[in-house]
Amino acid sequence: MENFGELLQRLMSSDNDVRNDAEAFLFQMVKDAPDKTVCSLLDAIAHGSDDESEMACLLLRQLCYNARHNELWQRINPASQNRLRNDLTQLLRTEAPADLLFKVCDVASALACTILPNNQWPDFLPFLQELATSGNPVQRICGYKAFEQLIQCIVVKLQQYNDTIRGLLMKGLEDDDPHVRIAALTTTNSFLQSERSEVPKFEPMIPNIVEIIHVCLNNEQEEDAREALMKLIDLAEIAPKLLRPHLKPVCDSMFSLAGDGRVQESTRHMAVELIVTLCEARPGMVRKEESILPRLITVLLEMLHELEENADWNEGEEEDVEDLSAKVAGESLDRLSMVLTGSSLVPILFEQVPAMLEANDWRQRHAALMSISVIGEGCVKYMKPHLEHVLGFVLPRLVDEHPRVRWSACNALGQMCTDFGPTLQRGFYNDVISGLAHVMEDSDNPRVQSHACAALINFCEYSSKEHFKEGLHHLLETMAILLEQNRKIVLEQCMTAIGTVADVVKDAFRDYYGSFMPFLKTVFMTATSKELRYLRGRSIEAISLIAAAVGYEQFQEDAEQILGEMLTLQRSQLAVDDPIVSYLQQAWARMAKALQQHFVPYLQEVIPALLEEASVDPDVQILARDQVERYQDDEDYELVPIGDRHVCIKTSTLEMKGTACNMLYCYLEELKGGYFPYVNDTAALYCHLMAFYYHDGTRIAAVSSPIHILQCVQDYYGSQGVDPKPHVAEMFRQMLPDMCQGLELEMSTEILILLAFSTQKCIELAGEYSLSPKLLEMIAGRSLEMLNDFWQRHLEREGKREDEDFDEVEAERLEAEHNKDEEVLALISEIIGSLAKTHKELFLPYFNHIACSDVFHKLLDPQTRAHHRQAAICVFDDVVQFAGPSARNFYPSIFNTFMGFVLDPESIVRQACIYGIGQLVMVDKDVVLEKINDVLDAMHQQIVHPEAHEDALITVTENAVSTLAKICKQLGSQVNVGDVLPVVIAHLPLRADPEERNAIHEMLCDFIAEIPELVFGGEYERLPKVLSVLATVIDSDLATEDTQRRMAEIVRAMQTEIPGDQLQGAFSQLDDESKGKLQTLV
C-alpha cells in the first residue's frame, strides 16, 4: 500500500472486502514492523484529515490496550517508545479541536494503564496534574478523563497519590466551566467507588455537584444537565450517605425539576430516578425525612396519568403510543414497593387513590388502578389483611364507562391474583370469575376482552378445582362465544385461558372437551402463515394443557393427529427465534404428562434437540471500555462491569438454554424410568450447569434435578427386576462432587435452599453406606463450611443494626432475611442428620468434628436465635436415633444439652429436646435414668402448659406424652408407672407427628397386653378413655394397619377379659360414632 493515509481510508471503507483486506494488511504490519506502525499512526493523528486522525486514534488505542497481551510496548524500540509518550503529551498540550484531544487522551490513558505499573512513564501523573489545572477547559477535561480511566485500571498504583487526586477533584467540582465539573464528577464517582474511605471527605461538595445541573439548565445546555444528573445518580448508588446532610434540598431540587414543564421529558424522568435511586440505596435514610415520600408518590401518580388518546388502541400493543412518563412512573412505583415495604408506601398511596378512582378524567382512574397493580408484589405482606378493601377499589372498575379503565382493572386484578394468591382465590373466587366473565362480553373492545382472559390465566395460577364449582359452565360458555368472534387479539389469550382453566379443573373439563378441542385442533393444523405464528403457538399450548388435564383415555382419539403435526413442525428446521419453538417445547412436556409411558417413543424426537440447546455455550464476550457503547442500548445483550472491562452476554441464548433445561427437567420428573436412555447425558449436563452463574433459571433446573435423576434410575432398574440400590448409589457418587461445589459457591439463598434440599434427599435415596470415605469426608466437610458461611452471613446481617439509618422497617426486612437463611440452616442440619442415618458409625468422626467446632457451639448459645439452637439440637436427635450403638460415647454430653434446653422459652427448641430425650430413652435408658426426676418434671411442665393443646404447641405436647410413654416402656421398674401412664392415656390419641403417633399407639397395645390393670385402672376408671382412643385410631391414619388390626383384636378380647358391667358402663359413655365403630368390630 503506497501510503498510510490510504490504508486508513480503506479501513473506513463500507465495502467489507476492502475493509477486511486492509485489516489483514495492518495486522501483518503490526507484526512485521511495529515501530513503523506506531510512528505512522502518530503522524496520522497529528497531520491527517479529521477522519484519518480519528481512525488512527482508535487503532492506536486498541494497540495500547492490547499491549498487555501481545507485548507491543516491548517490541518497539526505545526511540519509538519515547516518541509515543512524547507525541501524546505534546498533542494534549496543543489547542487542537476538543474531539481530537479527547481521543488522544483516551490513547494516552490506555498506554498509561499498560506501562505505569512498571514505572515506564514517570512523568505522566505530574503531566495529568498540569492538564487538570490548565487554563484551557478542554485540557482540564482531558486531565480528569485520564485520571478516571487510570483509577479504573490501576487504582492500587494510584493510592499513594490519593491526597493529590482528592484535591484536584474538589477543585474540578468548583470549576467555572460546567463541562469540566461534569468530567470531575465522573472521575469522583470512580474514585469513591474504588476508595470507600474517601467518601466522607466529599460531603461538602454535594451543593456544588447539584449546582452543575442548574448552571447547565440556565445556560440552555439541557443535554449537559442530563449528563450531570446521570453522574449524580451514579454517585447516589455509589455513596448515598454523602447526600444525607443535603437530602431535603437535593430532593426539593429534583421535585422542582420533575414538575418543570419547560424541560424535556427525559430530564424530568432523570430527576425522579435520582430520588428513587436514593430510596433503593438507603430506604431508612429517606423514610426519616418525612416529606420526601408523599411528594414522590404524588409526582409519580401525576406522571402515571400522562397518557395520550389513541384511536387505534383496540388493535393491540403494536398500535400503542409510547406513554413514556407513565411507564417510568409505573416502574418507579414497582421499585419503591420492593424496598420501602407496604407500611411506608401503601398509606401514602391510598390517601390519593380513592379520589383518583372517582375523577372524571379516565386517565386518573386508569393511573390509580395501575398503581395498585404495580405495588402488590413488594407490599403483599402489608396489603394482604386489607385485600377485601383493595378489591373494593378494583372490582367496580370492571364496569367503568371507559374501555382503557376496564382494561387497567383487568390488569390490576390479574396482577393481584399473582401477588396475593392463593389468598385472593380462596376468599373472592366468585367475585373475580363472574367479574371477568362479564368483561369478556365487551365485544366492542376486543383488547379489554383479551385482557380479561389474561387476568383469568393469572387467577388460575393459584386456584383449585373448588373455585370453579359454581361458575365453570357460564365461564366456558362465555369463552366459547369469544372463539366464535374470531378476533386474533382475543383468540390468543382466550385459547390459553381455556387451557389454563382445564389445567385447574382437571377431569371436570372432560364434559367440555368436545366443545373446544375441534376448534383448537383446526387452528393448530391451519394457522400456518407467518403472521399467525403466535396464534398457532397458543393453540398447541391450550391443546396440551387440556390433554394433560383430561388424560390419555379421552385425548387418545386426537393424539395421533396432533402429535403427528407436532413432529412435522419439530422436523421443519424452525428458526431459533420463531415463537412457535418455545410453545412447541412446552407442549411436548405436557404431552408427556398426558400420555405418560405412551409418550416414551416420542422422546427420541425431542430430547436430543433439547440436550443440544441446553449444552450451548452462552454468547459471552469480554469488552474493553471502548467497546461497551455499541452494546449499551441493545436489549439483546446484558452488560456486567468487572474492573475496567465488561462481560457482555447475549440474553436470547441464555433464555433458549434455560427453557431447554426446564423442559428436560419436566420430562425427567414426569416419566421417571421411561427417561432412562437419556439419564446419563442429562445428569452430566445438569452437574456442569450447577455452576452456570449467568442464568438463574438454568441453575434452578440443574440443582433441582438430582432427586429425579436418582428416582429415574431407581424406577428403571426396579421395573427390570434388578436391585436398583447399587445403581442409584453410583449415580449419586458421580453427582456429589458437583453438588458440593455448588453448595460452596452458590450466592442465591433461594437456589442454595433448592440444592441443599436436593442433597439431603439424595443422601437418603442413595441409602446406607453409599458414599466412599473420600466422598463422605467431602460432604461432611462442606456441611461444616456451610455452617460457617451461614454464621458469617448472620453476623453481617446483625451488623446492619448499627447503621444510623436502621429503623423498624429495616428490622422487619432483616428478620425476613434471617428467616430465609434459617431455611438453609435447617437443611444443613438435615444433611448432617441424613449422613448419620445412612452412614452410622462411619460418620461419627465427622460428626465429632462438627459438634466440637466453634460455629456449632455458637449455634447452641442460649442468647442466639431459636432456630439456631433448634438446628443444632436436631443434629443430636438424628445421631441418637440413627447412628447406632457406636454413638454411645456421645450420649451423655448430648443428654446434657437436651436437659440444658428442655425448658427453653422457645417451643421449637423444647420440642427438639423432648423428642431427643424420647429417642435416647429407647437407645440408652441408663443415661436418662441419672436425671429421671428432672426429665419427668420437664415433661409435666410442657403437658400442663396453659396453651399445651393450641396449634403452636401441640407437637411439643405430644412429643412430651410420647417421651413419657417411652419412659414407662423402658424404665418401668425404675419409675412409678402407675403415676406416669395415666397421664399418657389422658392425652391419647396423638395426631401431630405421624412417626411418633404410630409408635405410641403400638406401645399402647403393648401396655394393654402387659399391664392392663395400670392401663384401665383398678376400678376400670380409665376404660372409657381407652375405648375412645381405640375407636378413634381404628380405621384412621393415626396408626399402621398392623397396629389397627391389633387394636381390633384387643376390643374383641375385652368381651371375655373385662367384667360385663364395667365394659357396658364404659361403652355407654362413648359418642355414637365410636359406639358404632366398636359394635362393628364385636
Side-chain angles (χ1 to χ4, degrees):
M1 209 162 286
E2 293 181 5
N3 62 69
F4 200 74
E6 181 185 349
L7 175 61
L8 293 175
Q9 291 295 331
R10 287 176 173 270
L11 285 167
M12 293 183 282
S13 172
S14 59
D15 187 316
N16 287 338
D17 292 336
V18 172
R19 192 171 62 254
N20 291 338
D21 288 344
E23 287 172 355
F25 185 88
L26 178 64
F27 177 81
Q28 194 63 41
M29 185 176 176
V30 172
K31 183 177 178 182
D32 296 341
D35 294 283
K36 180 181 179 181
T37 306
V38 169
C39 293
S40 298
L41 288 168
L42 289 169
D43 288 337
I45 292 171
H47 307 296
S49 62
D50 290 348
D51 56 353
E52 289 174 355
S53 295
E54 183 177 342
M55 175 56 73
C57 284
L58 176 63
L59 293 172
L60 188 54
R61 185 186 183 200
Q62 289 175 344
L63 289 173
C64 289
Y65 261 124
N66 294 335
R68 281 171 276 187
H69 306 292
N70 63 22
E71 300 177 343
L72 173 69
W73 178 257
Q74 284 77 19
R75 292 175 56 224
I76 60 177
N77 61 44
S80 298
Q81 291 176 348
N82 283 332
R83 183 182 173 192
L84 179 55
R85 287 182 299 222
N86 293 336
D87 281 16
L88 291 174
T89 54
Q90 289 306 313
L91 281 166
L92 287 170
R93 286 191 174 103
T94 67
E95 300 291 327
D99 286 346
L100 178 59
L101 287 183
F102 294 155
K103 289 179 173 60
V104 173
C105 176
D106 289 340
V107 177
S109 302
L111 178 63
C113 286
T114 302
I115 65 175
L116 259 181
N118 299 321
N119 297 313
Q120 291 179 296
W121 202 351
D123 300 332
F124 189 67
L125 291 177
F127 169 68
L128 291 189
Q129 293 180 58
E130 173 192 327
L131 282 181
T133 56
S134 164
N136 183 336
V138 174
Q139 291 177 343
R140 297 201 296 277
I141 292 171
C142 286
Y144 288 114
K145 283 171 64 70
F147 268 122
E148 195 253 338
Q149 294 183 47
L150 290 180
I151 288 167
Q152 294 197 19
C153 297
I154 53 171
V155 63
V156 176
K157 177 72 176 176
L158 296 178
Q159 283 175 343
Q160 59 185 307
Y161 303 103
N162 276 0
D163 290 344
T164 301
I165 295 172
R166 185 191 328 114
L168 287 170
L169 292 174
M170 289 186 172
K171 184 177 177 62
L173 292 172
E174 295 177 319
D175 198 281
D176 293 335
D177 190 301
H179 296 99
V180 177
R181 293 169 78 174
I182 292 171
L185 177 55
T186 304
T187 308
T188 299
N189 287 347
S190 294
F191 182 61
L192 296 182
Q193 193 163 23
S194 301
E195 300 292 332
R196 308 300 296 182
S197 62
E198 293 285 335
V199 168
K201 300 169 186 175
F202 279 80
E203 179 268 314
M205 305 308 297
I206 294 299
N208 299 69
I209 293 171
V210 176
E211 186 187 32
I212 301 171
I213 300 164
H214 297 292
V215 169
C216 291
L217 289 173
N218 291 337
N219 293 339
E220 298 184 353
Q221 297 169 319
E222 191 168 343
E223 188 174 342
D224 293 330
R226 281 196 296 275
E227 185 178 358
L229 253 176
M230 180 56 70
K231 300 308 175 186
L232 184 55
I233 291 167
D234 292 342
L235 183 62
E237 288 181 343
I238 295 165
K241 288 185 178 182
L242 266 181
L243 282 80
R244 177 185 283 108
H246 312 278
L247 184 61
K248 189 174 187 305
V250 168
C251 289
D252 286 345
S253 177
M254 292 304 107
F255 284 131
S256 175
L257 187 54
D260 190 342
R262 296 169 299 175
V263 300
Q264 294 181 21
E265 193 177 41
S266 56
T267 306
R268 296 171 54 220
H269 297 165
M270 292 181 73
V272 168
E273 175 63 25
L274 174 60
I275 306 174
V276 174
T277 298
L278 283 169
C279 292
E280 290 178 319
R282 304 292 296 181
M285 180 178 79
V286 176
R287 274 192 295 268
K288 287 179 179 178
E289 184 55 63
E290 295 181 357
S291 66
I292 293 176
L293 288 179
R295 290 186 68 184
L296 178 58
I297 299 307
T298 298
V299 168
L300 293 176
L301 288 175
E302 288 172 354
M303 289 173 60
L304 204 55
H305 65 70
E306 291 182 22
L307 303 170
E308 289 187 33
E309 293 282 3
N310 180 7
D312 298 322
W313 177 81
N314 250 317
E315 299 303 314
E317 290 184 6
E318 60 274 9
E319 298 298 330
D320 274 351
V321 175
E322 188 175 25
D323 297 309
L324 199 54
S325 287
K327 181 181 178 182
V328 168
E331 291 172 351
S332 298
L333 280 170
D334 183 24
R335 290 162 58 191
L336 290 173
S337 74
M338 302 303 289
V339 295
L340 293 176
T341 72
S343 59
S344 302
L345 180 62
V346 174
I348 299 171
L349 184 74
F350 276 83
E351 282 181 4
Q352 302 187 52
V353 161
M356 292 175 68
L357 285 170
E358 298 301 323
N360 291 328
D361 187 346
W362 69 267
R363 296 171 184 83
Q364 294 236 22
R365 304 196 299 276
H366 180 281
L369 291 166
M370 293 304 291
S371 71
I372 293 172
S373 69
V374 296
I375 66 166
E377 182 182 3
C379 301
V380 62
K381 184 177 178 181
Y382 184 86
M383 291 175 66
K384 190 173 284 188
H386 311 288
L387 193 52
E388 183 174 6
H389 185 59
V390 177
L391 281 171
F393 291 125
V394 176
L395 288 169
R397 293 298 151 190
L398 291 173
V399 293
D400 191 277
E401 62 185 30
H402 198 285
R404 292 184 67 172
V405 177
R406 297 197 294 276
W407 180 94
S408 60
C410 292
N411 190 75
L413 198 55
Q415 191 60 52
M416 289 177 69
C417 287
T418 297
D419 295 336
F420 298 97
T423 303
L424 184 147
Q425 283 82 342
R426 283 198 299 264
F428 308 97
Y429 59 89
N430 272 337
D431 293 335
V432 173
I433 292 173
S434 60
L436 292 176
H438 178 76
V439 179
M440 289 178 193
E441 297 171 5
D442 185 6
S443 58
D444 291 333
N445 294 282
R447 193 165 178 185
V448 178
Q449 292 177 303
S450 174
H451 218 49
C453 292
L456 179 62
I457 294 168
N458 287 23
F459 175 85
C460 290
E461 184 179 358
Y462 291 108
S463 62
S464 64
K465 189 176 181 178
E466 289 69 29
H467 299 153
F468 287 91
K469 273 184 178 178
E470 296 179 17
L472 180 62
H473 185 74
H474 173 66
L475 179 67
L476 291 176
E477 273 190 339
T478 302
M479 288 197 285
I481 295 170
L482 291 186
L483 296 183
E484 292 172 3
Q485 292 175 6
N486 205 28
R487 288 167 161 166
K488 180 171 170 286
I489 187 175
V490 178
L491 285 179
E492 288 178 352
Q493 293 289 359
C494 183
M495 289 190 295
T496 298
I498 291 165
T500 309
V501 170
D503 185 49
V504 173
V505 302
K506 305 298 183 192
D507 57 344
F509 196 83
R510 288 174 180 164
D511 293 339
Y512 304 95
Y513 180 89
S515 301
F516 292 104
M517 186 57 75
F519 179 90
L520 296 171
K521 192 165 66 170
T522 298
V523 174
F524 179 56
M525 303 297 286
T526 61
T528 56
S529 62
K530 186 174 182 179
E531 61 272 14
L532 296 178
R533 291 182 302 179
Y534 279 102
L535 186 67
R536 193 180 196 196
R538 293 299 186 106
S539 69
I540 192 56
E541 180 179 39
I543 288 169
S544 59
L545 284 165
I546 292 171
V550 302
Y552 178 68
E553 184 177 345
Q554 186 166 21
F555 179 63
Q556 62 179 324
E557 295 180 8
D558 297 299
E560 184 177 352
Q561 185 182 9
I562 290 170
L563 288 167
E565 184 64 19
M566 289 173 67
L567 279 176
T568 301
L569 261 178
Q570 182 81 11
R571 296 166 179 168
S572 64
Q573 302 298 313
L574 294 166
V576 174
D577 60 349
D578 191 325
I580 198 71
V581 172
S582 61
Y583 286 112
L584 194 59
Q585 285 179 338
Q586 294 176 59
W588 280 119
R590 295 190 197 100
M591 291 301 183
K593 183 177 181 179
L595 274 64
Q596 294 290 311
Q597 295 306 309
H598 297 286
F599 187 82
V600 171
Y602 292 95
L603 284 177
Q604 61 184 335
E605 298 288 344
V606 294
I607 300 301
L610 287 176
L611 284 170
E612 184 177 346
E613 288 180 12
S615 303
V616 168
D617 289 329
D619 185 352
V620 178
Q621 305 173 60
I622 307 298
L623 304 179
R625 294 176 72 248
D626 61 320
Q627 297 173 297
V628 170
E629 191 172 345
R630 80 177 75 158
Y631 295 100
Q632 211 147 27
D633 297 322
D634 192 331
E635 293 182 356
D636 291 335
Y637 290 88
E638 181 179 353
L639 294 172
V640 181
I642 300 178
D644 65 328
R645 300 298 181 97
H646 280 72
V647 177
C648 178
I649 310 165
K650 190 169 185 179
T651 53
S652 58
T653 306
L654 291 184
E655 292 303 323
M656 179 189 74
K657 187 180 183 78
T659 300
C661 288
N662 280 306
M663 292 301 100
L664 290 170
Y665 178 85
C666 291
Y667 290 117
L668 186 62
E669 180 183 32
E670 200 64 50
L671 297 178
K672 296 182 171 59
Y675 190 86
F676 184 78
Y678 306 96
V679 76
N680 286 323
D681 289 342
T682 303
L685 171 70
Y686 278 143
C687 284
H688 173 68
L689 294 177
M690 287 178 190
F692 189 76
Y693 298 106
Y694 296 119
H695 190 257
D696 286 355
T698 297
R699 219 158 64 258
I700 287 170
V703 303
S704 304
S705 68
I707 300 171
H708 301 293
I709 288 170
L710 296 192
Q711 288 174 338
C712 171
V713 173
Q714 186 179 59
D715 187 61
Y716 173 77
Y717 281 104
S719 69
Q720 301 299 307
V722 176
D723 181 8
K725 291 180 181 177
H727 302 282
V728 172
E730 176 58 29
M731 178 62 79
F732 181 48
R733 287 192 288 270
Q734 292 177 26
M735 294 191 294
L736 185 58
D738 291 292
M739 296 172 74
C740 284
Q741 183 184 36
L743 290 170
E744 176 184 2
L745 300 177
E746 183 56 62
M747 299 297 292
S748 162
T749 302
E750 287 76 10
I751 298 178
L752 184 59
I753 287 169
L754 293 173
L755 181 53
F757 176 79
S758 286
T759 304
Q760 186 267 326
K761 292 300 180 187
C762 286
I763 291 169
E764 301 216 347
L765 277 170
E768 292 188 353
Y769 306 109
S770 56
L771 297 178
S772 66
K774 181 179 179 180
L775 289 174
L776 186 57
E777 181 179 10
M778 178 189 295
I779 184 58
R782 179 88 294 271
S783 298
L784 179 55
E785 289 168 10
M786 289 175 71
L787 287 177
N788 282 313
D789 293 344
F790 167 82
W791 190 255
Q792 187 59 41
R793 294 192 300 270
H794 168 72
L795 292 179
E796 289 172 2
R797 285 192 297 271
E798 285 299 299
K800 295 177 182 178
R801 296 184 186 277
E802 305 304 318
D803 191 283
E804 57 194 304
D805 292 323
F806 191 80
D807 58 15
E808 291 181 2
V809 177
E810 287 303 305
E812 183 181 334
R813 186 183 304 281
L814 197 67
E815 184 65 20
E817 291 177 11
H818 274 314
N819 292 339
K820 179 59 71 173
D821 210 9
E822 283 166 359
E823 292 182 44
V824 177
L825 177 63
L827 286 165
I828 301 170
S829 173
E830 290 185 28
I831 287 172
I832 297 170
S834 294
L835 290 170
K837 180 178 181 179
T838 56
H839 290 77
K840 305 186 184 305
E841 72 281 355
L842 297 182
F843 178 67
L844 291 178
Y846 305 109
F847 161 72
N848 185 50
H849 185 54
I850 292 170
C852 293
S853 65
D854 288 343
V855 68
F856 207 82
H857 289 158
K858 290 171 182 174
L859 292 174
L860 285 169
D861 186 327
Q863 302 305 312
T864 193
R865 291 170 61 85
H867 283 94
H868 298 180
R869 305 195 295 280
Q870 179 200 35
I873 293 168
C874 284
V875 169
F876 288 160
D877 290 348
D878 288 330
V879 168
V880 169
Q881 185 174 3
F882 299 119
S886 299
R888 192 174 299 273
N889 292 338
F890 297 103
Y891 292 166
S893 62
I894 289 176
F895 178 59
N896 286 336
T897 300
F898 288 158
M899 294 306 295
F901 290 101
V902 74
L903 298 178
D904 193 278
E906 297 291 341
S907 62
I908 58 172
V909 180
R910 297 200 303 275
Q911 189 268 334
C913 291
I914 291 169
Y915 179 84
I917 292 169
Q919 295 300 325
L920 200 52
V921 169
M922 301 303 291
V923 298
D924 194 345
K925 60 185 180 181
D926 292 338
V927 173
V928 179
L929 188 59
E930 294 179 8
K931 296 183 178 180
I932 188 62
N933 289 331
D934 292 338
V935 170
L936 292 173
D937 182 60
M939 300 306 115
H940 174 75
Q941 287 193 47
Q942 178 57 48
I943 290 170
V944 300
H945 191 286
E947 299 174 0
H949 295 280
E950 299 296 325
D951 289 346
L953 294 182
I954 187 61
T955 301
V956 194
T957 303
E958 291 196 356
N959 277 167
V961 172
S962 172
T963 297
L964 290 178
K966 292 170 182 176
I967 289 171
C968 291
K969 181 74 174 175
Q970 296 295 103
L971 295 169
S973 59
Q974 285 93 1
V975 300
N976 189 341
V977 176
D979 289 340
V980 178
L981 189 57
V983 177
V984 174
I985 292 170
H987 290 85
L988 297 180
L990 304 185
R991 300 176 185 274
D993 185 330
E995 186 177 334
E996 287 294 285
R997 73 193 184 204
N998 288 346
I1000 300 309
H1001 294 152
E1002 176 67 17
M1003 208 174 282
L1004 174 64
C1005 297
D1006 293 341
F1007 291 144
I1008 292 172
E1010 297 164 7
I1011 46 173
E1013 67 283 0
L1014 295 180
V1015 175
F1016 300 135
E1019 301 296 327
Y1020 292 100
E1021 64 271 15
R1022 285 186 290 278
L1023 181 57
K1025 174 63 177 178
V1026 173
L1027 286 173
S1028 175
V1029 171
L1030 296 175
T1032 302
V1033 173
I1034 293 170
D1035 291 336
S1036 75
D1037 61 353
L1038 300 179
T1040 65
E1041 291 183 4
D1042 288 342
T1043 298
Q1044 292 184 52
R1045 279 194 291 270
R1046 192 176 174 193
M1047 286 182 168
E1049 291 169 3
I1050 287 171
V1051 172
R1052 296 187 190 100
M1054 286 180 179
Q1055 305 298 306
T1056 56
E1057 296 175 0
I1058 295 178
D1061 58 336
Q1062 295 288 352
L1063 186 61
Q1064 189 59 41
F1067 188 83
S1068 67
Q1069 297 180 44
L1070 301 179
D1071 60 54
D1072 291 343
E1073 183 180 354
S1074 297
K1075 287 177 182 177
K1077 188 182 288 187
L1078 296 182
Q1079 283 174 337
T1080 302
L1081 292 174
V1082 299

